[in-house]
């Protein structure tokens, strides 16, 4: 979370109003806790003392805290800066990779840049320009349609840029896309979870990719793990220790801490649960087997739905890059030999499981990010994930903007998230698409795909005067199986009256809307449809999105 | 619901398996399948299960309440965790989990790593930065700042 003005609420919490006009507080007004943190930061990295005046803490996450500071430029001008203090448990390679992303890709096209970095031992502080920004939730229902169009256009510019460098961000969401409404400035932030594509231009993100599935079935005590060899290929003796670490990481705590110190937006504080580590290098490229592993079958609805898992990303040393192909072949062989049970059974694609299929290794694939923004191929543990996962996330942001709902999906685990996606995009459509990326999905509930215009208008509570030319999705019209109609909703086009809203929110009547919400063009929903393409291979790219008719009068 | 039991899954469920059939399937049996609920007021998710918005606690009231807080004490949290809460996590440097962040950072293993040459990769990048900032060397400023934070 970088460069914020005010604390603002996390998407899972009630909004905290951020008074945008307010000046940063004086030290005298800071709470004791924040004062102490600032003091500790000066102490940890004394060089800061000679350069910065740290004004306040503007965000805290699992992996970093962000402060607002001022400094004098050589030119004599005073400048505001965001100081991101990384958790000292971060591996130097992760830190270096984050810096490299900012340096190589940042500083233009709405991608956050970096000005400086300070280190003392394990304490690293990244200095970035400071961008005052809005809380997404606070402005969601007051944005004009035109502002939404500009917002999405600028998000695609940032994504086009990072994708060009072969960076998969993995955590695209409003809190990582800073938006200053009055200045019309935007910044994609936080490369703490980024991964490289196989041909990434970011040297430090280079890694033999996660196609290298390795199986391992050691039953080591997780606490014995101490493997932290940074390497692309995991030598066999290392596997046991690393696997144990993975296993420990894979265990989902049954209850998540809700006393998550949170303020401010963005960053990984939204994405991660405390007790689960980010990937350690090499962990991701093998698959574990644990006969004691239990997929959550007794659904626990945990309010805090931020989960990140071990397989977030892997870094390797420059010396040890090996061609992806070689790695995956070797890995595939390992997987074949490492699993206790490669036996087929009759449960495949049915409603059954048996001791044979349950004794196989678990597949490991990257999962880092925020649940409601994860693409179907992430939720189903597809080992090959591309920049398309960021485009899906952008689609979810767009869905929020068009429907006035944030967060749109609310799930505490991956399969609930997948079921919610089916509810919007259709179950058979989701199952079909999953086949294309190598996954068999069985779902007992047959839910039809929703017409996106109808869905968004119902949720936003506005009616459109322009009739969508895209017809009703098959089965959508009268099915009712997937929606829960409201008693007070008499017809599909009737707005939902929400008594809880203040004037500037839900428009109750069919009047011309000065904000343009009564004239949302079909192109908007066409683009949304292409972003939420269930098949990552055909999903629209950032470059293509900028050329979509929805942005017809804008310059990519 | 019996975990990990071989046999028939209870409907409604979702089950995912790699088409290679070489990995363990994973599945979820739902008490009830997610439903799009249009009755949930904006800006809440249509999948919101928590009925907090029905309790007469409208979001506008949340806003009011939080406004008071944030106006007063910007940069601090409304709900601070109890200070004695240990921060658990995983140290990438040492490759191990810890129960208490501060304690781990002070452990010998971590301190050794912190002072090791592993950070050269970071320093190499830092060396590329050209500072645009004025560096103050006078103690006056330092004293003043130290004072602010007491």
């Amino acid at each position: 979370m970088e460069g914020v003005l005010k604390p603002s609420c996390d998407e899972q919490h009630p909004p905290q109003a951020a008074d945008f006009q307010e000046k940063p507080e004086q030290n005298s007004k800071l709470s004791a806790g924040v004062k102490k943190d600032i003091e500790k930061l000066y102490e940890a990295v004394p060089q800061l003392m000679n350069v910065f005046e740290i004004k306040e803490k503007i965000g805290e996450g699992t992996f970093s805290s962000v402060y607002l500071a001022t400094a004098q430029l050589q030119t004599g001008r005073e400048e505001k800066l965001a100081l991101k203090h990384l958790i000292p448990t971060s591996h130097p390679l992760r830190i270096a990779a984050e810096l490299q992303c900012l340096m190589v890709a940042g500083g233009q096209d709405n991608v956050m840049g970096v000005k400086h970095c300070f280190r003392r031992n394990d304490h690293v502080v990244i200095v970035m320009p400071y961008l005052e920004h809005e809380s997404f939730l606070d402005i969601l229902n007051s944005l004009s349609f035109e502002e939404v169009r500009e917002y999405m256009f600028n998000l695609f510019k940032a994504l086009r840029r990072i994708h060009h460098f072969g960076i998969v961000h993995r955590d695209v969401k409003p809190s990582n896309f800073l938006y200053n409404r009055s200045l019309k400035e935007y910044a994609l932030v936080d490369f703490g979870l980024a991964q490289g594509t196989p041909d990434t231009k970011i040297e430090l993100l280079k890694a033999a990719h996660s196609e290298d599935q390795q199986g391992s079935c050691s039953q080591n005590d997780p606490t014995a793990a101490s493997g932290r060899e940074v390497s692309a290929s995991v030598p066999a003796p290392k596997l046991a220790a690393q696997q144990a670490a993975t296993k420990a990481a894979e265990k989902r705590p049954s209850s998540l801490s809700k006393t998550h110190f949170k303020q401010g937006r963005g960053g990984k504080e939204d994405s991660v649960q405390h007790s689960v580590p980010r990937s350690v290098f090499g962990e991701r490229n093998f698959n574990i087997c644990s006969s004691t592993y239990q997929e959550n079958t007794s659904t626990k609805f945990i309010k805090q739905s931020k989960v990140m898992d071990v397989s977030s990303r892997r870094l390797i040393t420059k010396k040890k890059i090996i061609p992806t192909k070689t790695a995956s072949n070797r890995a595939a062989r390992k997987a074949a030999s490492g699993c206790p049970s490669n036996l087929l059974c009759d449960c495949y694609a049915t409603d059954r499981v048996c001791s044979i299929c349950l004794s196989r290794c678990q597949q490991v694939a990257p999962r880092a990010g925020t649940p409601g923004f994860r693409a179907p191929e992430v939720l189903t543990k597809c080992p090959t994930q591309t920049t398309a996962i960021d485009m899906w996330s952008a689609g979810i942001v767009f869905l929020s903007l068009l429907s006035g709902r944030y967060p749109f999906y609310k799930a505490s685990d991956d399969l609930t998230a997948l079921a919610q996606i089916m509810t919007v995009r259709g179950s058979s459509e989701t199952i079909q698409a999953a086949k294309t990326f190598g996954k068999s999905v069985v779902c007992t509930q047959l839910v039809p795909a929703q017409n996106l215009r109808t869905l968004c208008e119902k949720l936003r509570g506005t009616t459109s005067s322009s009739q969508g030319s895209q017809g009703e999705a098959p089965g959508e019209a009268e099915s009712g199986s997937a929606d829960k109609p409201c008693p007070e909703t008499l017809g599909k086009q009737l707005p939902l009256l929400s008594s809880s809203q203040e004037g500037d929110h839900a428009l109750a009547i069919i009047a011309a809307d000065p904000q343009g919400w009564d004239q949302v063009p079909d192109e908007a929903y066409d683009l949304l449809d292409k972003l939420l393409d269930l098949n990552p291979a055909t999903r629209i790219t950032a470059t293509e999105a900028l050329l979509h008719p929805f942005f017809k009068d804008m310059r990519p | 619901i019996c975990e990990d039991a071989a046999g028939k899954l209870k409907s409604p469920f979702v089950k995912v398996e790699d088409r290679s059939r070489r990995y363990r399937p994973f599945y979820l049996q739902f008490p009830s399948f997610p439903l799009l609920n249009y009755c949930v007021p904006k800006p809440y998710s249509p999948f919101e299960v928590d009925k907090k918005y029905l309790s007469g606690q409208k979001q506008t009231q949340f806003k009011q309440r939080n406004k008071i807080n944030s106006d007063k004490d910007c940069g601090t949290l409304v709900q601070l965790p109890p200070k004695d809460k240990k921060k658990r996590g995983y140290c990438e440097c040492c490759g191990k989990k810890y129960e208490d962040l501060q304690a781990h950072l002070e452990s010998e293993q971590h301190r050794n790593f912190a002072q090791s040459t592993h950070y050269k990769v970071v320093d190499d990048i830092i060396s590329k930065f050209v500072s645009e900032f004025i560096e103050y060397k006078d103690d006056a400023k330092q004293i003043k700042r130290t004072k602010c934070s007491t």
Side-chain angles (χ1 to χ4, degrees):
Chain A
M1 131 61 278
E2 294 150 67
V4 284
L5 172 66
K6 285 280 171 267
S8 47
C9 72
D10 168 71
E11 40 267 80
Q12 310 294 341
H13 291 278
Q16 295 184 338
D19 178 355
F20 206 58
Q21 303 311 313
E22 205 181 2
K23 285 277 169 289
E25 305 293 297
Q26 296 308 301
N27 278 335
S28 59
K29 279 205 197 160
L30 293 175
S31 78
V34 171
K35 269 189 193 168
K36 197 155 186 272
D37 288 345
I38 292 174
E39 195 180 330
K40 274 207 198 127
L41 180 54
Y42 279 129
E43 214 174 294
V45 189
Q47 310 93 295
L48 299 175
M49 189 79 93
N50 302 326
V51 180
F52 301 101
E53 185 151 352
I54 303 174
K55 300 284 191 185
E56 60 171 308
K57 189 178 202 167
I58 51 182
E60 162 135 3
T62 311
F63 300 132
S64 65
S65 300
V66 182
Y67 298 85
L68 169 64
T70 56
Q72 299 292 321
L73 292 178
Q74 311 278 10
T75 61
R77 205 163 54 78
E78 187 179 82
E79 188 174 26
K80 283 184 181 172
L81 299 146
L83 306 190
K84 181 176 179 176
H85 179 212
L86 304 178
I87 190 168
T89 56
S90 305
H91 196 283
L93 277 168
R94 179 188 300 284
I95 298 167
E98 181 169 356
L99 278 167
Q100 206 166 65
C101 288
L102 290 163
M103 285 176 86
V104 175
Q108 57 175 288
D109 283 348
N110 306 325
V111 181
M112 178 56 80
V114 55
K115 290 193 164 273
H116 212 317
C117 182
F118 293 85
R119 175 179 88 90
R120 180 164 167 266
N121 296 339
D122 50 347
H123 290 273
V124 176
V125 173
I126 302 176
V127 182
M128 285 166 290
Y130 170 75
L131 175 62
E132 273 188 16
H133 79 271
E134 323 285 337
S135 142
F136 189 78
L137 190 58
D138 288 350
I139 59 165
L140 177 59
N141 279 291
S142 68
L143 289 169
S144 69
F145 176 69
E146 187 53 30
E147 284 175 310
V148 165
R149 213 165 66 102
E150 289 163 1
Y151 181 103
M152 291 308 298
F153 186 79
N154 282 285
L155 176 56
F156 293 134
K157 263 167 85 166
L159 292 176
R160 179 183 58 186
R161 180 152 178 94
I162 66 163
H163 293 169
H164 167 80
F165 287 103
I167 299 168
V168 184
H169 185 284
R170 297 207 67 95
D171 204 15
V172 172
K173 57 180 173 181
S175 45
N176 283 334
F177 187 58
L178 310 184
Y179 170 43
N180 183 311
R181 193 174 181 178
S182 52
L183 296 174
K184 292 202 189 296
E185 280 186 23
Y186 309 82
L188 181 65
V189 301
D190 204 335
F191 293 93
L193 296 178
Q195 286 181 312
T197 57
D199 61 344
T200 185
K201 300 184 178 76
I202 310 295
E203 198 64 27
L204 288 161
L205 287 181
K206 283 191 175 154
H209 251 256
S210 51
E211 300 89 35
D212 35 317
Q213 306 296 319
Q214 302 176 20
S216 149
C217 234
S218 128
Q219 294 299 323
N220 280 7
D221 171 14
T223 53
S226 66
R228 46 175 183 77
E229 189 76 9
V230 177
S231 74
S233 58
V234 183
K238 286 263 172 334
L239 268 176
Q242 293 211 342
Q243 181 264 318
T246 309
K247 203 161 89 184
E250 277 285 317
K251 268 212 238 134
R252 299 268 205 97
S254 52
S255 71
L256 299 175
S257 137
K258 276 198 306 191
T259 48
H260 207 147
F261 179 169
K262 239 181 235 213
Q263 72 171 18
R265 325 243 8 140
K268 284 147 293 205
E269 76 268 28
D270 293 345
S271 334
V272 199
Q273 96 197 33
H274 286 307
S275 37
V276 178
R278 290 182 280 183
S279 146
V280 196
F281 322 106
E283 262 178 1
R284 208 188 71 214
N285 45 341
F286 52 84
N287 284 287
I288 57 165
C289 168
S290 154
S291 50
T292 55
Y293 174 84
Q294 304 189 332
E295 187 65 41
N296 173 15
T297 46
S298 55
T299 314
K300 273 212 176 69
F301 285 106
I302 305 162
K303 241 180 96 173
Q304 131 92 290
S305 68
K306 319 289 197 180
V307 176
M308 190 193 101
D309 112 335
V310 53
S311 11
S312 59
R313 89 163 188 222
R314 199 164 86 261
L315 301 167
I316 58 159
T317 51
K318 286 182 238 180
K319 289 191 292 263
K320 294 206 176 178
I321 294 159
I322 48 171
T324 311
K325 273 214 171 71
T326 324
S328 30
N329 292 346
R330 187 184 311 154
R333 279 199 301 276
K334 272 216 181 91
S337 60
C339 274
S341 159
N342 266 317
L343 298 170
L344 299 183
C345 61
D346 295 331
C347 301
Y348 182 74
T350 70
D351 62 351
R352 286 190 315 277
V353 286
C354 71
S355 55
I356 295 173
C357 56
L358 288 179
S359 65
R360 295 187 205 134
C361 293
Q362 236 191 291
Q363 189 165 25
V364 175
R367 266 186 67 240
T370 305
F373 293 87
R374 288 187 192 137
E377 64 271 26
V378 180
L379 299 173
T380 56
K381 297 192 184 169
C382 182
T384 44
Q385 296 173 18
T386 66
T387 52
I389 71 169
D390 289 341
M391 296 307 290
W392 175 276
S393 303
I396 301 296
V397 177
F398 196 23
L399 183 59
S400 275
L401 289 164
L402 292 173
S403 66
R405 307 308 185 111
Y406 180 68
F408 190 89
Y409 290 121
K410 202 167 193 308
S412 52
D413 65 88
D414 286 347
L415 292 184
T416 301
L418 188 67
Q420 291 180 358
I421 288 171
M422 289 181 184
T423 304
V424 172
R425 302 298 278 155
S427 50
S428 57
E429 290 83 350
T430 306
I431 291 164
Q432 276 308 113
K435 272 191 194 153
T436 67
F437 51 83
K439 295 292 168 181
S440 149
V441 177
V442 182
C443 175
T444 51
Q445 197 87 6
L446 187 66
V447 285
Q450 300 295 303
N451 171 293
L452 292 172
R453 174 185 289 276
T454 311
L455 170 83
C456 291
E457 287 175 355
K458 269 169 136 179
L459 288 170
R460 181 170 263 286
T462 49
T463 341
S464 177
S465 55
S466 66
Q467 286 304 314
S469 62
Q470 48 163 280
E472 295 295 322
E476 190 262 332
E478 303 309 326
S479 70
S481 63
D483 358 334
K484 189 168 155 191
C486 284
E488 67 268 42
T489 309
L490 302 171
K492 272 196 310 120
Q493 287 294 306
L494 209 75
L496 166 62
L497 298 178
S498 160
S499 55
S500 67
Q501 304 294 337
E502 284 187 341
D504 65 324
H505 291 283
L507 292 169
I509 33 155
I510 302 153
D513 173 11
Q515 295 199 300
W517 286 104
D518 56 339
Q519 316 252 347
V520 177
D522 290 336
E523 287 79 12
Y525 297 106
D526 180 72
L527 175 58
L528 180 60
D529 182 56
K530 292 179 161 77
L531 291 163
L532 299 182
D533 185 339
L534 297 159
N535 179 352
T538 52
R539 196 174 299 148
I540 197 167
T541 66
T543 305
E544 290 161 354
L546 289 165
L547 299 169
H548 188 276
F550 181 58
F551 302 119
K552 54 178 167 283
D553 51 346
M554 296 168 128
R555 268 192 326 110
Chain B
I1 300 162
C2 176
E3 301 230 17
D4 222 347
K8 212 167 146 82
L9 298 172
K10 271 232 211 39
S11 184
F13 70 83
V14 169
K15 175 180 144 183
V16 178
E17 185 172 350
D18 195 76
R19 293 181 76 194
S20 70
R21 302 174 65 172
R22 281 218 306 253
Y23 300 101
R24 192 185 204 279
F26 55 105
Y27 49 87
L28 181 60
Q29 299 166 93
F30 298 89
S32 64
F33 202 80
L35 210 56
L36 265 169
N37 182 354
Y38 294 100
C39 299
V40 179
K42 283 196 292 184
Y44 296 107
S45 166
F47 298 100
E48 180 67 69
V49 281
D50 209 336
K51 293 280 192 273
K52 60 189 174 202
Y53 53 86
L54 292 178
S55 64
Q57 273 268 45
K58 303 298 186 234
Q59 24 127 201
T60 49
Q61 285 168 290
F62 280 133
K63 275 209 167 118
Q64 285 306 326
R65 196 188 59 207
N66 282 304
K67 196 165 183 61
I68 294 161
N69 281 316
S70 62
D71 284 355
K72 226 187 4 237
D73 211 355
C74 157
T76 54
L77 256 202
V78 185
Q79 316 100 324
L80 276 167
K83 266 288 169 242
D84 57 352
K85 201 188 163 293
K86 307 276 190 216
K87 289 198 185 161
R88 289 190 303 150
Y90 180 85
C91 181
E92 296 179 336
C93 305
C94 305
K96 64 197 231 186
K97 289 164 84 171
Y98 54 83
E99 287 305 311
D100 176 348
L101 175 62
Q102 204 47 46
H104 176 75
L105 296 180
E106 289 162 14
S107 71
E108 193 183 350
Q109 185 185 8
H110 187 85
R111 284 212 331 274
N112 286 342
F113 188 96
Q115 290 162 23
S116 72
T117 55
H118 283 104
Y119 288 88
K120 187 180 181 300
V121 64
V122 176
D123 293 339
D124 287 348
I125 295 177
I126 290 179
S127 67
K128 297 193 182 110
F129 287 108
V130 182
S131 182
E132 322 159 53
F133 309 119
I134 296 174
E135 226 178 302
Y136 291 97
K137 293 286 189 200
D138 63 305
D139 298 338
K141 184 134 190 154
Q142 294 202 15
I143 287 160
K144 195 191 90 189
R145 287 193 194 167
T146 318
K147 263 218 304 253
C148 316
S149 53
T150 46

